[in-house]
Amino acid sequence: MIEHRTNPDDCAFDAAGGAPEPISCATEPNGLVDRLGPLLVHYLFSAGRTVQIHDLTNRAAQTALSNLLETLRELGETEGRVAVTVATDLLSINDVRVVVDTQSMGPVLYLIDEMKKRKVEEIDFAPEVAAEELGSFLKLFFSEPSEEDVFGELARKLSDAGVVNIRLAERIERLKYLRDAKVNKQEVREESNRVMSRAIMFMGEVMRAIAQRRPVQLPKASRITQQIADIIRTDETILVGLASIKDYDEYTFSHSVNVSVLSMLIADRMGLHKSDTAQVGIAALFHDVGKTHVPQAILNKPDSLTPEEWQLMERHPMLGVIELSRARSLRAMADALFVSLQHHLLYNGKGYPAKPAPWELHPFNHMITVADVYDAMTTPRVYRKQTLTPDSALRLIARKGGEMFDPLVVKAFIGAMGVYPVGTVVKLDTGEHAVVTRQNEHCRLMHRPVVVLLRDDGASGEQIDLAERAGDGPKYRRTIVESVHDKRYEAQKANCFIVK
Ligand SMILES: [Fe+2]
Ligand SMILES: [Fe+2]
């Protein structure tokens, strides 16, 4: 039996329909950003040029700095953070594209060029930024970029200078190699790590935006999920491994990212177009945003919830809809709105909030529900007696196919994850423990994946293909006896997927 939550948090049984459309970065008008955006770009341009020539104490530099700071503050008063983004050669401020006219063309092109040179996709100014910090940032940002690791070096210099209220996001090129026949495994590994940490950071921003009653950044979510979709079409192994590492402190962030990766994997296996797969990922990223309004004491309560606490918990799908409807482009947010509302509704229509009979569930919802339940069941939580190993969670979901979950979705999910999903810790018939690091390519050998041995001294062990036979005989060298849930191996397991 699937355990029914006594607590709100994970979406034990979460479950959503509408024609998906590619996300457009074009946004609806926003008067303040429309008015102040070009001015901000102009001041960034003049400040950038000035600090390249003069010291920060110079009067021209001081004027440029104070004009820039004043504009940031004016925007920040209403908008909170101010994010300057370059995507596909267009400059946006808080997701509002800066309109280029003859006056603004020079500064806009200059800024795009300077950001691209430093592999920066976004400059995010927190409202707390002060004049001195802004000055240090400008001096370092506009200094001549280095030849190698331009972004990494800049980020390090900013950190050393104590710049904490201005954050940079790295521009990740849509990697051509991901579509090449010969894939460089290390590059995919690094790309997977980059996009996962970026997605988790993004979820932090989303939660902060909601707390400050600001709209969430849809175009940024779109860029992240398109990158994930690129990786999934190449080799999702590392992504699935990273999703199996449970972050207990940042549960809500990592849970949303894990659900996004896993539901996109299902969407891909079900044959959805890449842009639709990315849409599934966006809806999954936002499925639990309504929980921002549920107190942590309820989300993490070890005991059963009182009826009043349940009532509050059961409002999180609708609270999510209210938050997401603040988005600048509602049309682009439509799928996510449905999924937020319906993600606790199951294939059989049970769940909450109660579904009026004529309603159909959104097709994305079926995929996101399975991913949601899987991630919840495999993550230790204070209120759940038992955390399932990945293979047990899969078996349980398989048993409920056609009842709680869409059977086609279940089939696609199991096909993608295998018998022992990547990241499962297993005990072998030799008494050794190991972590699954890759599925066997042959369907009939799904129960014989590639593993890395876990050593008691913590050192990384040998990689073993469990399909290897002992000599010429029919016997296999090693066979999985059972999967285990053992916290001792968590760090070693993480080392198999995390790039240091
Ligand atoms: Fe969830
Ligand atoms: Fe939920």
Side-chain angles (χ1 to χ4, degrees), residues 9-11 14 251 255 259 287-288 291 343-344 372:
D9 182 1
D10 43 285
C11 321
D14 305 4
Y251 173 71
H255 169 67
V259 174
H287 79 279
D288 263 342
K291 281 187 182 170
H343 75 273
H344 282 278
D372 190 21

Side-chain angles (χ1 to χ4, degrees), residues 426-461:
V426 292
K427 189 176 173 188
L428 305 174
D429 58 354
T430 52
E432 299 159 301
H433 284 86
V435 60
V436 176
T437 54
R438 182 166 289 281
Q439 293 302 326
N440 193 303
E441 283 167 12
H442 301 288
C443 234
R444 63 182 180 83
L445 291 171
M446 271 175 112
H447 57 298
R448 294 197 167 275
V450 174
V451 300
V452 165
L453 295 180
L454 296 166
R455 291 171 34 158
D456 288 337
D457 62 6
S460 59

